[in-house]
Amino acid sequence: MECFNELKAKAEIIESSPLYDQLRPIADAITRAAQLQYKHPFKFYLVHEAQPNAFATPGRNVYVVDSLLYFVKNTEELAGTLCHEVSHTIHHDTVTLMEKQREIEAREVGAAVLLGPTRAHVLAILLIGKLHSLGYSRDVESRADLTGSDVCAATGYNPWGLVWLFQDFKDAKIGQLPQLLSDHPNDQHRVDALEQHFRKNPPVFGKFNSDPKSAKPLPVPKNAPEVFLR
Ligand SMILES: [Zn+2]
């Protein structure tokens, strides 16, 4: 809720845009598939930011940065990212991270009282919306990958999308790299864990094609208009 109000105050939440036409079918499928593991239906919001990203906050909200839709190469990569994010919520990682954030915030604001209220305000703003950069551990990330791939398989979207995304990270230039999914974008360990998970569950994963050439394109309109929630 805090995060929602903060994003709304910054007029970053997109109320309507043709981009939702790309997001909605994936979001609906994930919400249906995740219902077995999480009682609250997820709510997906597009937000406008320069850095491609996606993040879940405690409760049911998942925020998807508009530029992520332009960054991913296909539908499966977007679906994989969103499945990964909802898995953090399913595992209650977001709650743990929020608590960590509050501790840091309290410490920072405590320190900032000495520096004056303006500085405290700046720090508070910097901290909000940076959930991911606070850092999940590699194991927490890997666990979200595996549950995410289960959710993806249940939706029918090819869970190999996550692996393809990691491969794209390797090819992306430094500075272009989105923070999403991890602080260790080149983590081969996470790809290995996913591949092992797929091999161990042939009834679930065997039917999916590992070749990115089989991916479904994600047709995103260029410079799509966006109306912001105010
Ligand atoms: Zn993550």
Side-chain angles (χ1 to χ4, degrees), residues 84-85 88 132 136 140-141 144-145 180-182 190:
H84 171 99
E85 290 306 323
H88 279 311
H132 246 118
Y136 288 123
V140 167
E141 289 295 354
D145 290 340
L180 80 161
L181 297 186
S182 97
R190 289 175 62 188

Side-chain angles (χ1 to χ4, degrees), residues 85-188:
E85 290 306 323
V86 302
S87 298
H88 279 311
T89 304
I90 291 168
H91 295 154
H92 301 285
D93 297 337
T94 48
V95 178
T96 314
L97 196 60
M98 269 292 186
E99 281 161 7
K100 198 160 113 191
Q101 184 195 20
R102 285 221 180 85
E103 263 170 49
I104 295 171
E105 219 164 20
R107 224 180 302 139
E108 295 279 16
V109 171
V113 167
L114 300 169
L115 306 167
T118 311
R119 179 92 178 118
H121 187 66
V122 168
L123 282 171
I125 288 169
L126 281 176
L127 281 166
I128 290 168
K130 298 215 162 172
L131 290 174
H132 246 118
S133 58
L134 266 177
Y136 288 123
S137 70
R138 190 174 75 176
D139 288 345
V140 167
E141 289 295 354
S142 199
R143 217 159 59 95
D145 290 340
L146 301 192
T147 302
S149 71
D150 294 340
V151 173
C152 251
T155 63
Y157 287 107
N158 190 339
W160 280 93
L162 263 176
V163 173
W164 301 338
L165 191 68
F166 283 123
Q167 284 159 353
D168 291 347
F169 280 164
K170 274 190 203 158
D171 305 333
K173 289 192 198 82
I174 305 289
Q176 222 179 30
L177 273 181
Q179 199 95 57
L180 80 161
L181 297 186
S182 97
D183 294 325
H184 328 265
N186 293 324
D187 209 328
Q188 187 60 37

Side-chain angles (χ1 to χ4, degrees), residues 45-103:
Y45 292 99
L46 280 168
V47 292
H48 178 74
E49 278 180 21
Q51 178 85 336
N53 203 354
F55 50 99
T57 54
R60 51 187 282 203
N61 290 354
V62 182
Y63 300 95
V64 183
V65 174
D66 48 5
S67 50
L68 177 66
L69 271 63
Y70 295 96
F71 179 84
V72 296
K73 288 197 176 147
N74 50 57
T75 305
E76 291 82 354
E77 291 185 1
L78 180 61
T81 308
L82 302 186
C83 288
H84 171 99
E85 290 306 323
V86 302
S87 298
H88 279 311
T89 304
I90 291 168
H91 295 154
H92 301 285
D93 297 337
T94 48
V95 178
T96 314
L97 196 60
M98 269 292 186
E99 281 161 7
K100 198 160 113 191
Q101 184 195 20
R102 285 221 180 85
E103 263 170 49

